[in-house]
Amino acid sequence: MSEAPSRTGDILHMRGIGKEFPGVTALADVDLRVAPGEVRALMGENGAGKSTLMKILSGVYPHGSYTGDILMDGEVRAFSGVADSERAGIAIIHQELALVPQLSIAENIFLGNERTRLGVVDWGATVRAARGLLRRVGLDEDPTTPVSLLSVGRQQLVEIAKALSKEVRLLILDEPTSALNEAESDILLGLLRGLRAQGIACILISHKLGEVVRVADTITVLRDGRGIETMAAGAVDEDRIIRGMVGRALDQRYPQRTAEIGEVRFEVRDWTVDHPTQSGRRMADGVGLEVRRGEVVGLAGLMGAGRTEFAMSLFGGSYGRYVRGGLVKDGTPIRVRDVGEAIANGIAYVPEDRKELGLILGDDIRRNLTLAALRRVSSRTVIDKAAEAVAAAELSARMGVRSRDIYQAAGDLSGGNQQKVVLGKWLFAEPDLLILDEPTRGIDVGAKYEIYLVVRRLAAQGTSVLLISSELPELLGMCDRIYAMSQGRITGQMARGEAAQEPLMKLMTMAKA
């Protein structure tokens, strides 16, 4: 796809952009054009080239490492690095926030761009300027507050305030709402509309189709490193966008199945866990639930409800201080004092943060896939390299991981393929209970569907699945039964036939069980 020549007044025109890595064409003749005050959504499956294109624009990949031209206000620009791009008025906010938790809001906003007087930081001017920027993004916080005390949603707003401090003209947001709840997402999207009114252009990378249609003016779709089409957001529906992204229609967002649910496999009784450092602060308070053989059970809750803390504590005490409670498998109490005991009892946990907790990014796909069950590729505690390679290759193919080979570093994969590797690692351990914590966060609809198919297949084979998700449609589409959690407690449960978003939300906001 090639967009029309630059319109008079366009702030940006990326023209004929191409980028290659060893053995891989990441981008081929891509055009992208943005006008002042326009919100341009950039969509595509993981690996389509979205992040690569934005790294070129933001100077991460400098001029000379790609083909084509970047025009700002009709003039060709050659960015040698991120600082060059920022001086041109371009700022990028990555999915993984780049804030220093120990520093204050004001210090983070002006880090590297300090307000000084006679060579010394002017703290009064710094705080006053930070307060004005916080008002501009609608954040009512003391600028001296440490960033570590803010929610993820508020940290996102601090990142935008930081960008505005550099007199940004073009703001790039990479999956800005992937870790936010619905209320925080609404605030952020409202801010984008406000920036549009100020003439600031935005490029929004997101896999959440609903929010893209709500806030974007135009949508550009990439597929396999090529521009497929650009369309007006108000003139298309979600199904049309999906067809452009995956090259086919997804008639069902969630695969159909006839559940064959057996007896109770796992039961959690009165599970109570305190915060790891704040004694008496309950993160999971008397949680009780059960998962049957072949059943997909959902766990719904707003941010801070304690879902992840509960799941991690269940997985061998990976989080918090155990207070009381028990776990029963097939009618027999079991002990899970550490991760080794959890794995030995057939429990697997796919964390919500795949990069920090799920993968060794610098290691290859082969090692990441076999790490949870090295006994299966070892003899007398020595790893059989040939057996490991065969197992990893088979598992990679089974999971549909798109890579050069099994020796590619996990950190070089797209988000969706990284998630497939994390999931594949635990499938290799052949678990009886698979806990999935936000398994589709930050990945595209095509990769989501592939993961849903894996979950359905596991359930059909008799695996018990506990699915934690912030997306209620995902829980409603995938689960046989859904528990709601609020303030560390289970507040109710609903069967598949009776579950709906409104009653679930009521349970998720209850003060008491």
Side-chain angles (χ1 to χ4, degrees):
M1 177 203 71
S2 182
E3 294 197 10
S6 294
R7 301 164 296 190
T8 302
D10 276 346
I11 186 174
L12 171 72
H13 185 189
M14 300 184 77
R15 184 172 62 193
I17 301 295
K19 174 69 176 174
E20 292 193 0
F21 297 102
V24 178
T25 299
L27 295 169
D29 195 29
V30 174
D31 277 30
L32 180 69
R33 189 179 61 201
V34 183
E38 178 183 4
V39 178
R40 172 67 66 101
L42 188 60
M43 305 196 70
E45 293 188 273
N46 287 96
K50 307 182 300 296
S51 294
T52 300
L53 187 65
M54 292 301 98
K55 286 179 179 179
I56 289 172
L57 177 57
S58 60
V60 174
Y61 295 139
H63 183 260
S65 67
Y66 60 88
T67 58
D69 296 310
I70 297 174
L71 288 79
M72 294 286 292
D73 301 314
E75 296 183 6
V76 175
R77 307 297 294 267
F79 301 138
S80 60
V82 174
D84 269 0
S85 178
E86 289 183 345
R87 279 191 289 271
I90 299 171
I92 183 169
I93 298 176
H94 296 281
Q95 188 173 351
E96 291 81 22
L97 301 181
L99 299 174
V100 182
Q102 297 80 7
L103 298 183
S104 70
I105 294 172
E107 288 171 317
N108 271 282
I109 288 175
F110 294 108
L111 188 62
N113 185 32
E114 288 79 7
R115 295 295 184 261
T116 61
R117 184 178 183 184
L118 300 177
V120 179
V121 174
D122 186 335
W123 291 111
T126 297
V127 171
R128 285 193 299 272
R131 187 171 285 116
L133 289 164
L134 293 179
R135 281 198 299 268
R136 194 173 170 187
V137 300
L139 189 56
D140 183 20
E141 291 283 351
D142 183 340
T144 63
T145 302
V147 160
S148 60
L149 299 182
L150 303 181
S151 68
V152 176
R154 289 176 175 261
Q155 289 184 31
Q156 285 277 18
L157 297 179
V158 171
E159 281 274 27
I160 294 176
K162 182 177 180 179
L164 295 178
S165 75
K166 300 174 183 177
E167 299 183 357
V168 64
R169 301 177 61 213
L170 176 62
L171 183 63
I172 305 165
L173 299 106
D174 189 356
E175 295 291 347
T177 64
S178 64
L180 307 187
N181 61 33
E182 188 172 348
E184 290 172 325
S185 296
D186 286 342
I187 292 171
L188 182 59
L189 297 177
L191 176 59
L192 292 189
R193 287 189 284 267
L195 295 177
R196 175 170 56 194
Q198 299 171 31
I200 296 173
C202 296
I203 297 177
L204 173 65
I205 299 175
S206 177
H207 292 122
K208 295 185 177 180
L209 301 176
E211 71 181 27
V212 165
V213 172
R214 281 169 54 198
V215 77
D217 298 303
T218 47
I219 301 169
T220 293
V221 176
L222 298 184
R223 187 169 73 233
D224 299 329
R226 297 181 179 273
I228 299 301
E229 60 181 328
T230 293
M231 60 195 89
V236 297
D237 57 19
E238 295 183 13
D239 291 337
R240 165 75 186 283
I241 299 170
I242 291 172
R243 286 197 299 273
M245 289 171 61
V246 303
R248 64 190 185 282
L250 289 181
D251 297 326
Q252 298 289 337
R253 300 282 182 90
Y254 306 99
Q256 297 293 314
R257 79 176 180 113
T258 301
E260 296 182 6
I261 298 172
E263 68 281 1
V264 174
R265 170 68 68 81
F266 282 89
E267 183 181 359
V268 182
R269 297 175 177 172
D270 194 27
W271 195 263
T272 304
V273 175
D274 279 354
H275 189 280
T277 60
Q278 300 175 25
S279 181
R281 181 182 173 189
R282 288 284 147 86
M283 306 306 293
D285 191 359
V287 174
L289 56 78
E290 63 184 31
V291 188
R292 295 175 175 272
R293 188 183 299 269
E295 185 180 30
V296 180
V297 172
L299 186 57
L302 300 175
M303 189 173 293
R307 299 166 304 163
T308 292
E309 292 81 0
F310 162 67
M312 291 184 68
S313 67
L314 203 62
F315 187 57
S318 298
Y319 175 89
R321 298 172 58 192
Y322 172 82
V323 177
R324 65 176 181 271
L327 182 61
V328 178
K329 179 183 180 182
D330 295 325
T332 303
I334 60 174
R335 303 180 73 174
V336 287
R337 294 167 296 184
D338 55 38
V339 171
E341 283 191 346
I343 295 173
N345 281 290
I347 302 174
Y349 173 60
V350 175
E352 65 173 333
D353 190 337
R354 57 180 171 263
K355 294 191 176 185
E356 288 293 326
L357 301 176
L359 294 168
I360 302 175
L361 295 175
D363 217 334
D364 57 34
I365 296 170
R366 170 202 53 164
R367 182 58 52 83
N368 274 283
L369 281 171
T370 58
L371 197 57
L374 287 174
R375 69 186 185 281
R376 296 188 59 192
V377 291
S378 301
S379 176
R380 298 179 180 178
T381 72
V382 177
I383 296 174
D384 183 332
K385 298 292 185 181
E388 182 184 41
V390 170
E394 291 177 350
L395 195 54
S396 179
R398 176 182 166 193
M399 295 302 300
V401 178
R402 298 175 186 172
S403 63
R404 292 193 301 271
D405 51 44
I406 59 172
Y407 300 102
Q408 184 175 352
D412 293 339
L413 300 176
S414 67
N417 285 303
Q418 287 181 350
Q419 191 70 344
K420 291 176 186 177
V421 173
V422 178
L423 188 54
K425 173 180 73 174
W426 289 113
L427 296 192
F428 190 59
E430 298 180 333
D432 297 315
L433 173 65
L434 178 62
I435 304 173
L436 300 171
D437 194 350
E438 303 286 2
T440 64
R441 171 171 289 170
I443 63 176
D444 61 81
V445 290
K448 281 184 179 183
Y449 192 81
E450 291 173 1
I451 288 175
Y452 296 152
L453 287 173
V454 172
V455 174
R456 290 296 201 209
R457 185 168 66 244
L458 286 170
Q461 295 169 358
T463 304
S464 302
V465 180
L466 180 62
L467 173 61
I468 301 170
S469 177
S470 297
E471 298 185 28
L472 289 181
E474 182 170 80
L475 293 174
L476 294 169
M478 286 295 297
C479 298
D480 302 303
R481 195 158 44 89
I482 302 173
Y483 286 95
M485 195 170 189
S486 177
Q487 299 180 20
R489 298 183 177 193
I490 297 296
T491 54
Q493 63 171 303
M494 305 188 78
R496 182 182 182 89
E498 63 182 4
Q501 292 198 44
E502 185 174 338
L504 275 174
M505 186 59 68
K506 288 181 180 178
L507 290 173
M508 290 159 57
T509 54
M510 286 178 62
K512 294 182 179 180

